[in-house]
Amino acid sequence: MEQQESGTSRRAFLERLGAVGGTAMVMAAMDAWHVPTASAATAPPALTGAGKGKTIVILGAGHAGQVAAFELNKLGYRCIVLEARGFAGGRVQTARRGFTATELGGETQRCDFDPGEYLNIGPWRIPFHHRSTLHYTKQFGVPLETMVNDNDAAWMQHNDGSGALKGKRVRQYEVKTDLRGRVNELIAKAATSGQLDQQVRAEDRELFLDYLASSGRLKKDLAYRGSDLRGYVKPPGAGDQPGTIDDPYGLSDLLQSHLWRDFQVGEYTHPLTMFQPVGGMDQIAKAFEKRNAPMLRFNCEVQQIRQTDKAVTVNYVDTKTGKTASVTGDFCLCTIPLSVLRSIDTPFSDDFRAAMDDATYVPVGKIGLQMKRRFWEEDDGIYGGHVKLDHPAIRQISLPSNNFQGQKGTLLGAYLLFDGATEVSAMSLKERIDYALAAGEAVFPGSYRANFERGFSWFWHLAKYNLGGWANWTAEARKDSYPKLLNADGRIYLAGEHLSYLGGWQAGAIESAWQQIEKIHQRAQQA
Amino acid sequence: MKVAVTLFALLVAAPCAAQDVAAGEVLYKQKCAACHQPTGKGVKGAFPALAGDALVLGDPALLSRMLLVGKGGMPTFKRLMTDQQIADVLSFVRSSFGNSAAPVLPDVVAAMRATLPASGGPTGPLGN
């Protein structure tokens, strides 16, 4: 079946990345192979001139739409933002007590977490290099806290391998340290027995061995016999307690366990330290909403878009009253996901429409579990980060980076993608929670189910105004279709994460908006 | 005509594994039912009904293409399902919800897959 890839190892690598770090990580890795990765723009375009009383109709009050309104308004444009939902943010939403949502074909969920508990059901972490996102959090004074994106103390457990570590719950620092030590020992011994003389210059050899010995904690004879980096079976303490280090795991057991698969993590794309807004990711959306309020029209579902060579008219229905209305502007910036836009009555050319159809959207969802006691902290000393497991769909359980040492906590019990997401989203709400609890109980036996209080699950492919988590561009579509959508069709411009190489990230939506408003402004200035 | 098609299908299917409608039903629940619903009736305005749908009942090659490539909210299953699995699930869909069309052969899926560009993009199976 998988005959096509130039390298199956690359595909396997991507699969594993996806399993470990989510699709965003896969996409980041893809970008590393094809194009520059990460956030390219650090500030909005420096635009001069004035909006001259021109009207811009913006469709969607997610980050792309809100950024455009915020920046264009400063230039004097009249901006009208039509938002189908009753609130701004697009996919940037946080489920907390009282939050109500209904999936297509599903029952209405009302989040009943305790006050202070929440789940970011959309984006949940901000890498330090997403300077566009951080530009607005700083400007708006949205308080950030550290999001612990990796934690060596977190458990890992794999049943898919064999050997002594199969099914054994181990700390990530044990596995990392032993793997490095075992591998460095082999390389160092090869180097001292002349086997690497072709590859390592004589004058480099000593430094090479120094590096291997220090990073692998090798002894003088270049053997690895364990290290304090892998933790203690008896920790050091006061008086006569020097601490006891356990024997390291054997290389064969480490390899056969498959645990090493979880360590192919990019340190730049998904850095150890990230940020999250205090109180939930929707704080960013709310900060925009507060400033853009006069421009925002909620519950306005776009029905039809029409354009002439002078203007764009958008017909919409007010979902509260059922009444239809229309707005006309000089230009339109449409941030509606392509999965949704393709079914709306639009005036796009056949070529443009075909390009839109070349993006497919990724099924994505999350399950949050409120626990009455932070047993991962109290019992195991794990503060944030991801527990890694080899469950068929749930590859990691992410522990909260807020309210450390508090009473309760809400963890991300499942971050599901692709067919893991389609399968679990077909379950009832209760079945979903049971599914997530079963996965967690295997790693936290006796604690996970016992401490569970309430759950909330949400799947973006079943969200009416999203129909998917984010756009998925194949290499071919990225080359042939994507560039067409960066240009206007008449007086209509598109923007959103789908028109960036930062797919699924907030930075993608923000920077896409920056790019497109510059084009609109330049054209408006010429008119 | 239909009998002839079915016979032909069985003959062609014989050398490779025959499509397994029961397996297809399980796959349907896992990959399709969340959107197209357990009833196959879909959700109006978002997910097309599979019952009586022209694409579902039409050319098996074009139908296979939809699963392999996707479109809009319909994800690509190119990396997530084998030819056999796609044949199974499509054969289930074509014989359920009141539908009555010939099964889809794995060879048809394989042939369609072979026409697609080598790189399918950054998707990958996460279920194993």
Side-chain angles (χ1 to χ4, degrees):
Chain A
M1 167 191 178
E2 311 297 352
Q3 73 284 13
Q4 308 99 333
E5 279 301 293
S6 54
T8 43
S9 61
R10 173 186 287 193
R11 190 183 59 78
F13 175 63
L14 287 175
E15 287 173 22
R16 184 50 52 181
L17 276 186
V20 172
T23 306
M25 184 180 290
V26 175
M27 295 163 81
M30 288 298 291
D31 285 352
W33 280 313
H34 297 301
V35 295
T37 183
S39 172
T42 60
L47 305 177
T48 55
K52 293 179 184 170
K54 286 193 159 56
T55 298
I56 315 292
V57 179
I58 298 169
L59 307 181
H63 278 2
Q66 292 228 79
V67 163
F70 181 74
E71 298 296 342
L72 289 172
N73 181 58
K74 285 196 287 193
L75 287 167
Y77 289 96
R78 175 175 176 247
C79 296
I80 300 167
V81 185
L82 301 180
E83 168 55 47
R85 292 191 173 98
F87 56 92
R91 216 166 55 79
V92 183
Q93 296 184 32
T94 299
R96 59 172 69 77
R97 190 176 194 82
F99 179 84
T100 303
T102 310
E103 291 170 346
L104 289 166
E107 44 199 304
T108 294
Q109 279 186 90
R110 187 177 175 83
C111 182
D112 60 355
F113 289 157
D114 281 13
E117 297 299 323
Y118 68 84
L119 175 73
N120 287 321
I121 59 174
W124 56 310
R125 42 189 177 178
I126 307 172
F128 68 86
H129 46 75
H130 282 193
R131 295 175 65 176
S132 50
T133 311
L134 295 170
H135 168 84
Y136 286 112
T137 54
K138 180 163 186 176
Q139 184 179 342
F140 297 160
V142 176
L144 300 180
E145 60 194 358
T146 304
M147 190 270 177
V148 180
N149 192 48
D150 206 355
N151 186 341
D152 283 345
W155 298 117
M156 60 193 324
Q157 185 172 20
H158 270 234
N159 292 296
D160 57 344
S162 60
L165 293 173
K166 178 183 166 128
K168 188 173 157 74
R169 189 177 75 163
V170 292
R171 301 277 189 172
Q172 293 177 32
Y173 46 62
E174 296 174 71
V175 179
K176 280 185 183 175
T177 306
D178 288 352
L179 268 172
R180 201 166 53 229
R182 295 293 188 193
V183 170
N184 283 16
E185 175 180 340
L186 287 181
I187 301 171
K189 286 181 172 170
T192 50
S193 61
Q195 294 176 65
L196 296 177
D197 287 357
Q198 296 295 312
Q199 291 81 11
V200 183
R201 297 192 312 160
E203 53 267 51
D204 292 339
R205 197 162 301 138
E206 198 168 327
L207 292 169
F208 185 59
L209 288 172
D210 271 359
Y211 163 69
L212 292 169
S214 61
S215 64
R217 294 294 170 109
L218 308 184
K219 304 296 184 198
K220 283 211 161 48
D221 62 354
L222 299 179
Y224 174 68
R225 298 192 187 88
S227 143
D228 57 343
L229 297 185
R230 74 184 307 289
Y232 291 80
V233 278
K234 260 182 80 180
D240 60 351
Q241 302 172 84
T244 308
I245 299 163
D246 210 354
D247 291 335
Y249 301 129
L251 181 62
S252 177
D253 283 334
L254 288 164
L255 294 173
Q256 293 295 334
S257 71
H258 294 193
L259 290 164
W260 50 272
R261 291 184 190 276
D262 284 347
F263 293 136
Q264 296 185 358
V265 171
E267 294 183 358
Y268 178 76
T269 52
H270 279 70
L272 273 59
T273 303
M274 296 210 196
F275 298 106
Q276 61 184 25
V278 175
M281 194 60 82
D282 67 346
Q283 297 307 307
I284 302 179
K286 286 182 192 301
F288 273 114
E289 187 176 343
K290 195 171 139 191
R291 289 158 180 84
N292 288 337
M295 299 180 270
L296 303 175
R297 296 187 191 175
F298 294 112
N299 306 304
C300 296
E301 193 181 287
V302 174
Q303 304 282 294
Q304 187 186 57
I305 308 173
R306 288 288 178 265
Q307 65 177 332
T308 65
D309 57 356
K310 293 204 167 44
V312 181
T313 297
V314 178
N315 298 313
Y316 63 93
V317 61
D318 183 323
T319 57
K320 288 284 178 207
T321 63
K323 287 184 181 155
T324 56
S326 75
V327 287
T328 296
D330 297 281
F331 295 98
C332 173
L333 182 75
C334 175
T335 73
I336 298 171
L338 300 177
S339 49
V340 176
L341 184 61
R342 61 183 296 276
S343 299
I344 294 175
D345 181 358
T346 52
F348 300 130
S349 70
D350 290 345
D351 199 36
F352 198 82
R353 201 180 299 280
M356 280 169 36
D357 272 350
D358 240 2
T360 60
Y361 274 65
V362 180
V364 178
K366 287 182 176 171
I367 301 176
L369 306 170
Q370 179 185 308
M371 298 290 179
K372 70 179 167 212
R373 185 173 74 82
R374 298 172 80 98
F375 52 87
W376 55 93
E377 295 179 359
E378 292 173 8
D379 302 348
D380 301 332
I382 306 170
Y383 294 85
H386 315 293
V387 171
K388 318 240 182 191
L389 51 163
D390 74 326
H391 180 276
I394 300 174
R395 311 305 294 244
Q396 65 182 34
I397 292 169
S398 303
L399 303 169
S401 292
N402 67 321
N403 197 25
F404 290 123
Q405 297 195 319
Q407 176 57 45
K408 299 186 176 186
T410 300
L411 52 79
L412 179 59
Y415 181 12
L416 298 155
L417 299 127
F418 295 107
D419 50 354
T422 60
E423 181 169 350
V424 178
S425 63
M427 300 175 183
S428 71
L429 297 177
K430 186 180 177 308
E431 286 170 339
R432 293 174 182 179
I433 301 297
D434 287 343
Y435 186 85
L437 288 174
E441 185 69 18
V443 191
F444 294 100
S447 303
Y448 211 73
R449 277 185 193 282
N451 284 291
F452 169 71
E453 289 187 324
R454 313 173 206 290
F456 191 89
S457 62
W458 183 254
F459 288 88
W460 290 103
H461 50 290
L462 300 179
K464 185 177 181 188
Y465 300 119
N466 297 88
L467 301 183
W470 49 80
N472 177 25
W473 294 100
T474 63
E476 294 74 29
R478 186 69 93 170
K479 183 168 150 285
D480 301 330
S481 296
Y482 172 84
K484 295 176 183 170
L485 302 181
L486 297 174
N487 298 318
D489 182 298
R491 305 179 80 83
I492 305 168
Y493 293 76
L494 306 186
E497 62 76 28
H498 45 285
L499 293 181
S500 78
Y501 279 90
L502 294 159
W505 294 99
Q506 296 172 93
I510 294 169
E511 291 176 44
S512 170
W514 284 352
Q515 188 173 64
Q516 300 301 67
I517 60 170
E518 185 166 15
K519 291 180 194 170
I520 292 174
H521 180 61
Q522 279 170 1
R523 195 163 148 197
Q525 293 295 290
Q526 286 159 11
Chain B
M1 176 60 191
K2 198 161 136 199
V3 173
V5 169
T6 308
L7 274 177
F8 176 71
L10 288 172
L11 285 171
V12 175
C16 59
Q19 56 282 21
D20 183 342
V21 171
E25 183 170 8
V26 174
L27 287 165
Y28 182 82
K29 284 179 184 156
Q30 293 170 345
K31 322 275 183 193
C32 320
C35 296
H36 295 289
Q37 305 297 302
T39 57
K41 287 181 179 164
V43 174
K44 197 167 177 285
F47 311 124
L50 304 178
D53 181 77
L55 180 66
V56 168
L57 299 173
D59 181 353
L62 291 179
L63 180 57
S64 305
R65 192 175 195 285
M66 178 56 85
L67 258 77
L68 289 165
V69 176
K71 186 182 274 190
M74 170 79 183
T76 163
F77 285 94
K78 189 175 164 195
R79 310 282 184 81
L80 305 176
M81 297 173 79
T82 63
D83 296 337
Q84 181 69 51
Q85 288 178 313
I86 290 176
D88 289 346
V89 78
L90 290 181
S91 297
F92 167 75
V93 168
R94 279 159 69 96
S95 61
S96 306
F97 319 126
N99 289 339
S100 173
V104 173
L105 305 175
D107 285 356
V108 171
V109 183
M112 177 52 72
R113 191 190 290 273
T115 69
L116 300 174
S119 141
T123 61
L126 303 171
N128 51 44

Coordinates of all heavy atoms in Angstrom, one line a residue, chain A residues 229-289:
Chain A
L229 N 21.7 10.8 35.9 CA 20.7 11.5 35.0 C 19.5 10.6 34.8 O 18.4 11.1 34.4 CB 21.4 11.7 33.6 CG 22.6 12.7 33.6 CD1 23.0 12.9 32.1 CD2 22.2 14.0 34.2
R230 N 19.6 9.3 35.1 CA 18.5 8.4 34.9 C 17.6 8.3 36.1 O 16.6 7.5 36.2 CB 18.9 7.0 34.4 CG 19.6 6.2 35.5 CD 20.1 4.9 35.0 NE 19.2 4.1 34.3 CZ 18.2 3.4 34.8 NH1 17.9 3.5 36.1 NH2 17.4 2.7 34.1
G231 N 18.0 9.0 37.2 CA 17.2 9.0 38.4 C 17.7 7.9 39.4 O 18.6 7.2 39.1
Y232 N 17.1 7.9 40.5 CA 17.5 7.1 41.6 C 16.4 6.1 42.0 O 15.2 6.4 41.9 CB 17.8 7.9 42.8 CG 19.0 8.8 42.7 CD1 18.9 10.0 42.0 CD2 20.2 8.4 43.3 CE1 20.0 10.8 41.9 CE2 21.4 9.3 43.2 CZ 21.2 10.5 42.5 OH 22.3 11.3 42.3
V233 N 16.8 4.9 42.5 CA 15.9 4.0 43.1 C 15.7 4.4 44.5 O 14.6 4.3 45.1 CB 16.2 2.5 43.0 CG1 15.8 2.0 41.6 CG2 17.7 2.2 43.3
K234 N 16.8 4.9 45.1 CA 16.7 5.4 46.5 C 17.3 6.8 46.4 O 18.5 7.0 46.1 CB 17.6 4.6 47.5 CG 16.7 3.7 48.3 CD 17.6 2.9 49.3 CE 17.9 3.8 50.6 NZ 18.8 3.0 51.5
P235 N 16.5 7.9 46.5 CA 17.0 9.2 46.2 C 18.0 9.7 47.3 O 17.9 9.2 48.5 CB 15.7 10.1 46.3 CG 14.7 9.3 47.0 CD 15.1 7.8 46.8
P236 N 18.9 10.6 46.9 CA 19.9 11.1 47.9 C 19.2 12.0 48.9 O 18.1 12.6 48.6 CB 20.8 11.9 47.0 CG 20.1 12.2 45.8 CD 19.1 11.1 45.6
G237 N 19.7 12.1 50.1 CA 19.1 12.9 51.1 C 20.1 13.3 52.2 O 21.3 13.3 52.0
A238 N 19.5 13.7 53.3 CA 20.3 14.2 54.4 C 21.1 13.0 55.0 O 20.8 11.9 54.9 CB 19.4 14.8 55.4
G239 N 22.2 13.4 55.8 CA 22.9 12.4 56.6 C 23.6 11.4 55.7 O 24.3 11.7 54.8
D240 N 23.3 10.1 56.0 CA 24.0 9.1 55.4 C 23.3 8.5 54.2 O 23.3 7.3 54.0 CB 24.4 8.0 56.4 CG 23.1 7.4 57.0 OD1 22.0 7.9 56.8 OD2 23.2 6.3 57.7
Q241 N 22.6 9.3 53.4 CA 21.8 8.8 52.3 C 22.4 9.3 51.0 O 21.9 10.4 50.4 CB 20.4 9.2 52.4 CG 19.7 8.8 53.7 CD 18.3 9.4 53.8 OE1 17.3 8.9 53.3 NE2 18.3 10.5 54.5
P242 N 23.4 8.7 50.4 CA 24.0 9.2 49.2 C 23.1 8.9 48.0 O 23.3 9.5 46.9 CB 25.3 8.3 49.1 CG 25.0 7.0 49.8 CD 24.0 7.4 50.9
G243 N 22.1 8.1 48.1 CA 21.3 7.8 47.0 C 21.8 6.6 46.2 O 23.0 6.3 46.2
T244 N 20.9 5.8 45.6 CA 21.2 4.6 44.9 C 20.7 4.7 43.5 O 19.5 5.0 43.2 CB 20.6 3.4 45.5 OG1 21.0 3.4 46.9 CG2 21.2 2.1 44.9
I245 N 21.6 4.5 42.5 CA 21.2 4.5 41.1 C 21.0 3.0 40.7 O 21.8 2.1 41.0 CB 22.4 5.1 40.2 CG1 22.6 6.6 40.7 CG2 22.0 5.0 38.8 CD1 23.9 7.2 40.2
D246 N 20.0 2.8 39.9 CA 19.7 1.4 39.5 C 20.6 1.1 38.3 O 21.1 1.9 37.6 CB 18.2 1.4 39.1 CG 17.6 0.0 39.3 OD1 18.4 -0.9 39.7 OD2 16.4 -0.2 39.2
D247 N 20.6 -0.2 38.0 CA 21.4 -0.7 36.8 C 20.6 -0.2 35.6 O 19.4 -0.1 35.6 CB 21.4 -2.2 36.8 CG 22.3 -2.8 37.9 OD1 23.2 -2.0 38.3 OD2 22.1 -3.9 38.3
P248 N 21.4 0.2 34.6 CA 20.7 0.7 33.4 C 20.0 -0.4 32.6 O 20.4 -1.6 32.8 CB 21.8 1.3 32.6 CG 23.1 0.6 33.0 CD 22.8 0.3 34.5
Y249 N 19.1 0.0 31.8 CA 18.4 -1.0 30.9 C 19.4 -1.4 29.8 O 20.2 -0.6 29.4 CB 17.1 -0.4 30.3 CG 16.1 0.0 31.3 CD1 15.6 1.3 31.2 CD2 15.7 -0.8 32.3 CE1 14.6 1.8 32.2 CE2 14.8 -0.4 33.3 CZ 14.2 0.9 33.2 OH 13.3 1.3 34.1
G250 N 19.2 -2.6 29.3 CA 20.1 -3.1 28.3 C 19.7 -2.6 26.9 O 18.5 -2.2 26.7
L251 N 20.7 -2.5 26.1 CA 20.4 -1.9 24.7 C 19.3 -2.7 24.0 O 18.4 -2.1 23.4 CB 21.7 -1.9 23.9 CG 21.5 -1.3 22.5 CD1 21.1 0.2 22.6 CD2 22.8 -1.4 21.7
S252 N 19.4 -4.0 24.1 CA 18.4 -4.8 23.3 C 17.0 -4.6 23.9 O 16.1 -4.4 23.1 CB 18.8 -6.3 23.4 OG 17.8 -7.1 22.8
D253 N 16.9 -4.5 25.2 CA 15.6 -4.3 25.8 C 15.1 -2.9 25.4 O 13.9 -2.7 25.1 CB 15.6 -4.4 27.3 CG 15.7 -5.8 27.8 OD1 15.2 -6.7 27.0 OD2 16.2 -6.1 28.9
L254 N 16.0 -1.9 25.4 CA 15.5 -0.6 25.0 C 15.0 -0.5 23.6 O 14.0 0.1 23.3 CB 16.7 0.4 25.2 CG 17.1 0.8 26.6 CD1 18.5 1.4 26.6 CD2 16.1 1.7 27.2
L255 N 15.8 -1.2 22.7 CA 15.4 -1.2 21.3 C 14.1 -1.9 21.1 O 13.2 -1.5 20.4 CB 16.5 -1.8 20.4 CG 17.8 -1.0 20.4 CD1 18.9 -1.7 19.6 CD2 17.5 0.4 19.7
Q256 N 14.0 -3.1 21.7 CA 12.8 -4.0 21.5 C 11.6 -3.4 22.1 O 10.4 -3.7 21.8 CB 13.1 -5.4 22.1 CG 14.1 -6.2 21.4 CD 13.7 -6.5 20.0 OE1 12.6 -6.6 19.6 NE2 14.7 -6.7 19.1
S257 N 11.8 -2.5 23.1 CA 10.6 -1.9 23.8 C 9.8 -0.9 22.9 O 8.7 -0.6 23.2 CB 11.1 -1.1 25.0 OG 11.8 0.1 24.6
H258 N 10.5 -0.4 21.9 CA 9.9 0.7 21.0 C 9.8 2.0 21.7 O 9.3 3.0 21.1 CB 8.6 0.3 20.4 CG 8.6 -0.9 19.5 ND1 7.6 -1.2 18.7 CD2 9.6 -1.8 19.2 CE1 7.9 -2.3 17.9 NE2 9.1 -2.6 18.3
L259 N 10.2 2.1 22.9 CA 10.1 3.4 23.7 C 10.8 4.5 23.0 O 10.4 5.7 23.0 CB 10.6 3.2 25.1 CG 9.8 2.3 26.0 CD1 10.6 2.0 27.3 CD2 8.5 3.0 26.4
W260 N 11.9 4.2 22.3 CA 12.7 5.2 21.7 C 12.0 5.9 20.6 O 12.3 7.1 20.2 CB 14.0 4.6 21.1 CG 13.7 3.4 20.2 CD1 13.5 2.1 20.7 CD2 13.3 3.3 18.9 NE1 13.2 1.2 19.7 CE2 13.0 2.0 18.5 CE3 13.3 4.3 17.9 CZ2 12.7 1.6 17.2 CZ3 12.9 3.9 16.6 CH2 12.6 2.5 16.3
R261 N 10.9 5.3 20.1 CA 10.1 6.0 19.0 C 9.6 7.3 19.5 O 9.3 8.2 18.7 CB 9.0 5.1 18.6 CG 9.4 3.8 17.9 CD 8.1 3.1 17.4 NE 8.4 1.8 16.9 CZ 8.7 1.5 15.7 NH1 8.9 2.5 14.8 NH2 8.9 0.3 15.3
D262 N 9.3 7.4 20.7 CA 8.7 8.6 21.3 C 9.7 9.8 21.4 O 9.3 10.9 21.8 CB 8.0 8.4 22.6 CG 6.7 7.6 22.4 OD1 6.2 7.5 21.3 OD2 6.2 7.1 23.4
F263 N 10.9 9.6 21.1 CA 11.9 10.7 21.3 C 12.3 11.4 20.1 O 13.1 12.2 20.1 CB 13.1 10.1 22.0 CG 12.9 9.7 23.4 CD1 13.4 8.5 23.9 CD2 12.1 10.4 24.2 CE1 13.2 8.1 25.2 CE2 11.8 10.0 25.5 CZ 12.4 8.8 26.0
Q264 N 11.7 11.1 18.9 CA 12.0 11.8 17.7 C 11.2 13.1 17.6 O 10.3 13.2 16.8 CB 11.7 10.9 16.5 CG 12.6 9.7 16.5 CD 12.5 8.8 15.3 OE1 11.7 9.1 14.4 NE2 13.2 7.8 15.2
V265 N 11.6 13.9 18.5 CA 10.8 15.2 18.7 C 11.7 16.3 18.3 O 12.8 16.4 18.7 CB 10.3 15.3 20.1 CG1 9.7 16.7 20.3 CG2 9.3 14.2 20.5
G266 N 11.1 17.2 17.5 CA 11.9 18.4 17.1 C 12.0 19.3 18.3 O 11.0 19.6 18.9
E267 N 13.2 19.9 18.5 CA 13.3 20.7 19.7 C 13.0 22.2 19.3 O 12.8 23.0 20.2 CB 14.7 20.6 20.2 CG 15.0 19.2 20.7 CD 16.3 19.0 21.4 OE1 17.1 20.0 21.3 OE2 16.6 17.9 21.9
Y268 N 12.9 22.5 18.0 CA 12.6 23.8 17.6 C 11.1 23.9 17.4 O 10.4 24.8 17.9 CB 13.4 24.3 16.4 CG 13.0 25.6 15.9 CD1 13.5 26.8 16.6 CD2 12.2 25.8 14.8 CE1 13.2 28.0 16.1 CE2 11.9 27.1 14.4 CZ 12.3 28.2 15.0 OH 12.0 29.4 14.6
T269 N 10.6 23.0 16.6 CA 9.2 23.2 16.2 C 8.2 23.0 17.4 O 7.2 23.6 17.4 CB 8.8 22.1 15.1 OG1 9.2 20.9 15.5 CG2 9.5 22.5 13.8
H270 N 8.6 22.0 18.2 CA 7.8 21.8 19.4 C 8.7 22.0 20.6 O 9.1 21.0 21.2 CB 7.1 20.5 19.4 CG 5.9 20.5 18.6 ND1 5.9 20.6 17.3 CD2 4.6 20.4 19.0 CE1 4.6 20.5 16.8 NE2 3.8 20.4 17.8
P271 N 9.1 23.2 20.9 CA 10.1 23.3 22.0 C 9.7 22.8 23.3 O 8.5 22.7 23.6 CB 10.4 24.8 22.0 CG 9.2 25.4 21.4 CD 8.7 24.5 20.4
L272 N 10.6 22.6 24.2 CA 10.3 22.1 25.6 C 9.4 23.1 26.3 O 8.5 22.7 27.0 CB 11.6 21.9 26.4 CG 12.3 20.5 26.2 CD1 12.6 20.2 24.8 CD2 13.5 20.5 27.1
T273 N 9.7 24.4 26.1 CA 9.0 25.4 26.8 C 8.1 26.1 25.8 O 8.6 26.6 24.8 CB 9.9 26.4 27.5 OG1 10.8 25.7 28.3 CG2 9.1 27.4 28.2
M274 N 6.8 26.2 26.1 CA 5.9 27.0 25.3 C 5.1 27.9 26.2 O 5.4 27.9 27.4 CB 4.9 26.1 24.5 CG 5.6 25.2 23.5 SD 4.5 24.9 22.1 CE 5.2 23.5 21.3
F275 N 4.2 28.6 25.7 CA 3.3 29.5 26.5 C 1.9 29.1 26.3 O 1.5 28.5 25.3 CB 3.5 30.9 26.1 CG 4.9 31.4 26.3 CD1 5.8 31.6 25.2 CD2 5.4 31.7 27.5 CE1 7.0 32.1 25.3 CE2 6.7 32.2 27.7 CZ 7.5 32.4 26.6
Q276 N 1.1 29.5 27.3 CA -0.4 29.5 27.2 C -0.9 30.7 28.0 O -0.3 31.1 29.0 CB -0.9 28.2 27.8 CG -0.6 28.0 29.3 CD -1.1 26.6 29.9 OE1 -1.2 25.7 29.1 NE2 -1.3 26.6 31.2
P277 N -2.0 31.3 27.5 CA -2.6 32.4 28.2 C -3.2 31.9 29.5 O -3.8 30.8 29.6 CB -3.7 32.9 27.3 CG -3.4 32.3 25.9 CD -2.7 31.0 26.2
V278 N -3.0 32.6 30.6 CA -3.6 32.3 31.9 C -5.1 32.3 31.7 O -5.7 33.2 31.2 CB -3.2 33.3 33.0 CG1 -3.9 33.1 34.3 CG2 -1.6 33.3 33.1
G279 N -5.7 31.1 32.1 CA -7.1 31.1 32.1 C -7.7 30.5 30.8 O -9.0 30.3 30.7
G280 N -6.9 30.3 29.8 CA -7.5 29.7 28.6 C -7.1 30.4 27.3 O -6.9 31.6 27.3
M281 N -6.9 29.7 26.2 CA -6.5 30.3 25.0 C -7.5 31.3 24.4 O -7.1 32.2 23.7 CB -6.3 29.2 23.9 CG -5.5 29.6 22.7 SD -3.8 30.2 23.0 CE -2.9 28.7 23.2
D282 N -8.7 31.2 24.8 CA -9.7 32.2 24.3 C -9.5 33.6 24.8 O -10.1 34.5 24.4 CB -11.1 31.7 24.5 CG -11.5 31.7 26.0 OD1 -10.6 31.8 26.9 OD2 -12.7 31.5 26.3
Q283 N -8.6 33.7 25.8 CA -8.3 35.1 26.3 C -7.7 35.9 25.1 O -7.9 37.2 25.1 CB -7.3 35.0 27.4 CG -7.8 34.3 28.7 CD -9.1 34.8 29.1 OE1 -9.3 36.0 29.4 NE2 -10.1 33.9 29.3
I284 N -7.0 35.3 24.2 CA -6.5 36.1 23.0 C -7.7 36.5 22.2 O -7.7 37.7 21.8 CB -5.5 35.2 22.2 CG1 -4.3 34.8 23.1 CG2 -5.0 36.0 21.0 CD1 -3.3 33.9 22.4
A285 N -8.6 35.6 21.9 CA -9.8 36.0 21.1 C -10.6 37.1 21.8 O -11.0 38.0 21.1 CB -10.6 34.7 20.8
K286 N -10.7 37.0 23.1 CA -11.5 38.0 23.8 C -10.8 39.3 23.8 O -11.5 40.4 23.8 CB -11.7 37.5 25.2 CG -12.7 36.4 25.3 CD -12.9 36.0 26.8 CE -13.7 34.7 26.9 NZ -15.1 34.7 26.3
A287 N -9.5 39.3 23.8 CA -8.7 40.6 23.8 C -9.0 41.3 22.5 O -9.1 42.5 22.4 CB -7.2 40.3 24.0
F288 N -9.0 40.5 21.4 CA -9.3 41.1 20.1 C -10.8 41.6 20.1 O -11.1 42.7 19.6 CB -9.2 40.1 19.0 CG -7.8 40.0 18.4 CD1 -7.0 38.8 18.6 CD2 -7.3 41.0 17.7 CE1 -5.8 38.7 18.0 CE2 -6.0 40.9 17.1 CZ -5.2 39.7 17.3
E289 N -11.6 40.8 20.6 CA -13.1 41.0 20.6 C -13.4 42.4 21.3 O -14.2 43.2 20.8 CB -13.8 39.9 21.2 CG -15.4 40.0 21.1 CD -16.1 38.7 21.6 OE1 -15.4 37.7 21.8 OE2 -17.3 38.9 21.9

